[in-house]
Amino acid sequence: MALDKPYKNIPGTTIFDADQSRKGYHLNQFCMSLMKAENRARFKANERAYLDEWPMTEEQKLAVLARDLNRCIALGGNIYFLAKIGATDGKSFQQMAGSMTGMSEEAYRQMMLEGGRDPKWGRT
């Protein structure tokens, strides 16, 4: 029996729950592997070959290769694990968050300094 998930319809939000965790297990394990320098070097040398060592879905692999973090989250990725990809690429969490909103790093920083998005953002 599926659990009632009243949070499923929060605009612009993916909640990392047990279902997302199961869906993204291998994706998130791949991300955690990037904590080791030798794995980062192997990944950067041949990203596709390194990804193919992980039992991720093809869609997950393509999302990583495209650095489509929003898609990675939809496919079960946890932002705190996905941050390892950004770090491997030399990007800050702020740069990653900006890219996920379609904003420049500077525009994202300014928005956050001004209190973040309007709570009504994305709601009808």
Side-chain angles (χ1 to χ4, degrees), residues 105-120:
E105 178 185 3
E106 296 76 24
Y108 179 81
R109 179 185 313 115
Q110 190 60 42
M111 177 193 66
M112 295 307 291
L113 288 171
E114 293 171 358
R117 283 197 171 137
D118 184 320
K120 294 178 185 167

Side-chain angles (χ1 to χ4, degrees), residues 51 59 61 72 87 109 116:
L51 287 170
E59 195 173 7
K61 292 175 186 181
C72 286
R109 179 185 313 115

Side-chain angles (χ1 to χ4, degrees), residues 27 30-31 34 39-51 56 58-75 77 79 81-93 95-103:
L27 169 58
F30 149 73
C31 291
L34 298 176
N39 292 337
R40 290 191 300 273
R42 289 181 54 229
F43 176 62
K44 293 306 283 182
N46 188 334
E47 293 184 2
R48 183 62 204 219
Y50 189 75
L51 287 170
M56 296 165 24
E58 183 64 16
E59 195 173 7
Q60 288 170 329
K61 292 175 186 181
L62 292 174
V64 170
L65 291 170
R67 299 306 193 267
D68 185 343
L69 300 176
N70 289 322
R71 189 72 192 129
C72 286
I73 287 173
L75 296 170
I79 189 60
F81 296 131
L82 295 171
K84 309 303 186 250
I85 299 171
T88 299
D89 290 340
K91 296 197 174 179
S92 70
F93 197 86
Q95 288 172 309
M96 292 174 55
S99 75
M100 293 170 71
T101 62
M103 303 170 82

